[in-house]
Amino acid sequence: MKHLKLYLLTCSVAILLAFIVVYSIPKEYAAQVKVANEYVSYNMRVGERDIASWMNFKTNTVSSIEDMNTYCQILSTTSFAEMMALVMVPHYRQTYSDYLIEHHHHAWWESEKDIIQIIQDNIQYDFSQKYSTLLIQVTDQDPVVAAQMADSVRVKLHEEIAKQKKMFALNELNHSSKLWIDGKKRYERAKKIYDDFVDTHEDISVKSILAEEEYLENEKNKAYDIYNKASIQYYRDKALYRQQPLFFSTLSNASVPTKPVSPNAMGYLFAFVIIAIVFTKWWIAGKDSTAESLRFKISDSFSPWVITIAIWVGLLILFQLQKGVLYPLGNRFYTCLALWIPIFVASSIVTFITLPKSSTPKHTTTAAPINANLLVFNILYTISMVITPLYLYQIMKFVMMFDVENLLYNIRMFAVFGDTNYGFLNYSLVINQALLLVALWLYPRIPRWQLITVFLANILSCFAIMEKGGILLMFLSTMFVLFEKGHIKMRSIAIVSAVIVVFFFFMNLARTDQTDTEGTEMSFIDFFAIYVLSPPVAFERVTRDLSSQFGSHTFEVVYMLLNKFGIGHFELNSKLQEFVWVPLPTNVYTIFQPFYQDFGYKGVAFFAFIYGSASGWIYRMFRNGSAMGHCLYTYFVYILLMQFYQENIMLSLVFFVQLVFFLFLMTQNRITLSFQSHLRDYAVTKSKEPEKQLSDS
């Protein structure tokens, strides 16, 4: 390697700096308490039948103090941190705030934090909507204090919920008491009027008197019904106010941790080495090449920096127009955005400038058909034409066993939860998408019918799993290639985009359960809000991962492979992410989600640098006319345009590696199966054999 010594030097310095940083950060220990929601409401035990109480519990649980979302909101409030500041720490015989003032240390580069802010940072939680469990974690530099405060948080949380519930119960009791008193007065008044009328009218043969008596009797009965219901509600609320309910059950108590959770030496080492390698590459590339003018590059509509800025600015503008359909955005999203955009843009531009440029003019490197390997392309094309219908057939054979009315919904559910291990047939989607990316740039070197069949194969693959992402890739890739080749303008892309959005709306309606849609039909505004505007709002509901596993979400695919090959036993997250309500249901959380969950704001900043550097490098390959760069950057256009929606590289790392592999095979001209040159060499060798024998003799 030409610059091996330089890379070794910079990596050594990076490793040294990483260890300095790690040893400068005080160790922190984490103690955890796990609680579960009480599914059976205590309302069942007081004045209601089981069914009525259960229905009341199910319909009101979202807004109730008994809901675990409310628990999370209580834990994150400043008032709760102020309560915890007054809790006594038995090990030190002083309040928690005094303990932090005397014993809390911070790294030399960090500024002094407010005590309440330290307490809020120390208390973290992870709520599972699916299992209704809440994991509470308290970190501290003393493991004993961490365990003690974790138990204290659980106790204080229960006390605060009980206090709030007591206040609500008192308000309900006062309200029902007023209704009971008013109902009693109304009934006594109606009864007195009726009794007086009956006593003074002995002749009941007159129709008008009979009608008046019947009317007064009905009024008395109505008043009694109201009084009776108010009485039941009053005594029920009185009983609820007096009892001490259990709001959650403790599944696991806190124990004294033995290993620190912070700082993570592996994370800092990995980050510093990667940054050192990238900076070294920038320095070498900038030294060996002439810097390129950015006058025409900055305004390039599909450059990574323009796409990133346009996507996030456009999203913020749309939020100003949505008029309260969703909850407002919070500080966490804006902080991540303030880190992501500058770091991504700067790293992508610097990478693009420093890497050497091609001497070929721009119009001949990006608009012309690529020079791909037609033999490999046709082999994969033939494989695709065989396995795609077979894969669809295997899925339809299973799904058709169920209700045909919900066919599309069943296909989607089977793709998410079913066993779709069909061996080599599972490669149909990745092969079809790789063929699509190559075919778009290869045309017109391939016939039109072949390009059309590649599109049809991709549509069948998307239908087999009812996935909108594949159709969106087809659309965005086609628009990008047509734009780069000069066949369409931005106006055409905007019009077709509107048509695609409407198509996705009807596709989403088609794949919902038709037997359970009464009163829950989704409007177009709801659809647009869920799939375009909801991810940033949902990101505000994301909590830090409390697992001790390094990068549990970011490197989920790596851990899955390690488990598969028996190298270790690691936790794996659910394939389908949990839904949150914003207030519409959604389970996508922008590109920031895995990085923030695992590493916080530092992770968002680091992966902005990685994403920006990788995008700038692939964009340079594209502008230099590389066939691999053409196809790979076309896929990255899709990734960058969808960064407001979810992360699509690290969370689908196996798929991405497979895609790159197939693209590499189809864009390498040296891979051939031609025997012509070998036969010619063999004939020449044979013709020289008699001369060799003659000379030997």
Side-chain angles (χ1 to χ4, degrees), residues 308 311-312 315 333 336-337 340-341 344 535-536 539 542 554 577 588-597 603-605 607-608 610-612 615 636 638-651:
T308 297
I311 283 295
W312 292 114
L315 191 74
F333 171 75
C336 290
L337 197 62
W340 183 269
I341 293 180
F344 180 96
F539 177 69
V542 170
T554 306
Q577 299 188 120
V588 285
Y589 307 91
T590 74
I591 197 173
F592 308 142
Q593 176 213 349
F595 312 138
Y596 176 81
Q597 280 188 293
V604 174
F607 281 96
I610 297 300
Y611 255 85
S615 300
F636 255 73
Y638 162 73
I639 296 297
L640 296 177
L641 287 172
M642 295 301 294
Q643 59 185 294
F644 74 94
Y645 188 71
Q646 67 180 8
E647 206 280 332
N648 285 300
I649 296 293
M650 299 303 298
L651 298 184

Side-chain angles (χ1 to χ4, degrees), residues 387 391 420-428:
I387 67 174
Y391 183 66
T420 56
N421 186 15
Y422 296 127
F424 189 75
L425 297 181
N426 290 328
Y427 289 96
S428 61

Side-chain angles (χ1 to χ4, degrees), residues 213-491:
E213 182 181 353
E214 183 179 0
Y215 170 76
L216 292 176
E217 185 178 10
N218 290 336
E219 287 296 311
K220 184 192 73 168
N221 292 335
K222 289 180 181 178
Y224 176 77
D225 290 339
I226 295 174
Y227 171 55
N228 184 50
K229 291 180 180 179
S231 299
I232 294 174
Q233 186 64 38
Y234 167 71
Y235 286 108
R236 178 174 175 274
D237 289 342
K238 190 174 183 179
L240 291 175
Y241 176 73
R242 289 179 176 177
Q243 75 172 2
Q244 295 295 328
L246 178 65
F247 295 102
F248 54 76
S249 300
T250 303
L251 299 182
S252 62
N253 290 308
S255 59
V256 178
T258 57
K259 296 181 180 180
V261 295
S262 176
N264 192 307
M266 180 65 69
Y268 281 99
L269 189 64
F270 174 78
F272 273 70
V273 170
I274 293 297
I275 292 174
I277 292 174
V278 174
F279 271 89
T280 305
K281 181 62 180 177
W282 284 354
W283 187 83
I284 294 172
K287 182 181 178 182
D288 295 343
S289 64
T290 305
E292 181 177 358
S293 173
L294 287 177
R295 183 175 58 185
F296 69 92
K297 296 298 181 186
I298 288 293
S299 61
D300 191 347
S301 302
F302 283 99
S303 62
W305 47 87
V306 170
I307 291 177
T308 297
I309 294 174
I311 283 295
W312 292 114
V313 171
L315 191 74
L316 293 178
I317 293 174
L318 289 175
F319 258 101
Q320 306 306 314
L321 305 176
Q322 56 102 8
K323 299 185 182 301
V325 177
L326 300 170
Y327 296 146
L329 294 172
N331 293 331
R332 179 189 300 167
F333 171 75
Y334 286 119
T335 302
C336 290
L337 197 62
L339 292 170
W340 183 269
I341 293 180
I343 297 175
F344 180 96
V345 170
S347 58
S348 60
I349 290 178
V350 171
T351 303
F352 180 78
I353 297 174
T354 55
L355 292 178
K357 64 177 181 177
S358 173
S359 58
T360 311
K362 176 188 173 183
H363 68 276
T364 61
T365 57
T366 59
I370 62 174
N371 188 22
N373 192 311
L374 290 177
L375 177 62
V376 178
F377 177 84
N378 288 325
I379 291 174
L380 291 177
Y381 171 81
T382 304
I383 294 174
S384 169
M385 295 301 107
V386 174
I387 67 174
T388 300
L390 288 177
Y391 183 66
L392 179 60
Y393 169 74
Q394 292 291 339
I395 292 177
M396 295 301 296
K397 183 174 66 173
F398 180 84
V399 175
M400 291 296 289
M401 297 167 57
F402 302 95
D403 186 11
V404 180
E405 182 182 357
N406 293 315
L407 178 64
L408 302 182
Y409 172 78
N410 292 337
I411 292 175
R412 181 57 182 166
M413 291 299 99
F414 181 67
V416 175
F417 299 106
D419 183 11
T420 56
N421 186 15
Y422 296 127
F424 189 75
L425 297 181
N426 290 328
Y427 289 96
S428 61
L429 179 62
V430 66
I431 291 177
N432 286 331
Q433 291 191 0
L435 285 171
L436 173 69
L437 298 174
V438 176
L440 287 171
W441 287 107
L442 202 54
Y443 182 80
R445 288 186 61 197
I446 60 173
R448 183 176 299 177
W449 63 264
Q450 195 172 22
L451 179 61
I452 293 174
T453 52
V454 169
F455 270 93
L456 292 176
N458 275 272
I459 293 174
L460 290 178
S461 295
C462 295
F463 180 79
I465 58 175
M466 288 304 296
E467 177 58 51
K468 296 187 292 290
I471 296 178
L472 196 60
L473 173 65
M474 294 170 58
F475 162 67
L476 295 175
S477 301
T478 304
M479 293 297 102
F480 171 65
V481 174
L482 291 177
F483 178 82
E484 287 294 328
K485 290 186 175 182
H487 298 312
I488 61 172
K489 298 184 181 299
M490 275 296 176
R491 179 179 56 190

Side-chain angles (χ1 to χ4, degrees), residues 26-32 84 89 91-92 94-105 115 118-119 121-124 137-150 256-263:
K27 292 182 180 180
E28 290 190 340
Y29 298 84
Q32 297 179 343
M84 292 301 303
V89 182
H91 192 64
Y92 289 88
Q94 56 185 168
T95 63
Y96 192 36
S97 58
D98 292 337
Y99 159 77
L100 291 175
I101 292 174
E102 294 184 17
H103 301 281
H104 181 78
H105 305 286
I115 295 299
I118 295 175
I119 295 175
D121 292 341
N122 287 351
I123 301 174
Q124 299 175 342
Q137 175 177 286
V138 177
T139 57
D140 197 88
Q141 294 170 7
D142 188 326
V144 176
V145 174
Q148 291 173 343
M149 298 314 297
V256 178
T258 57
K259 296 181 180 180
V261 295
S262 176

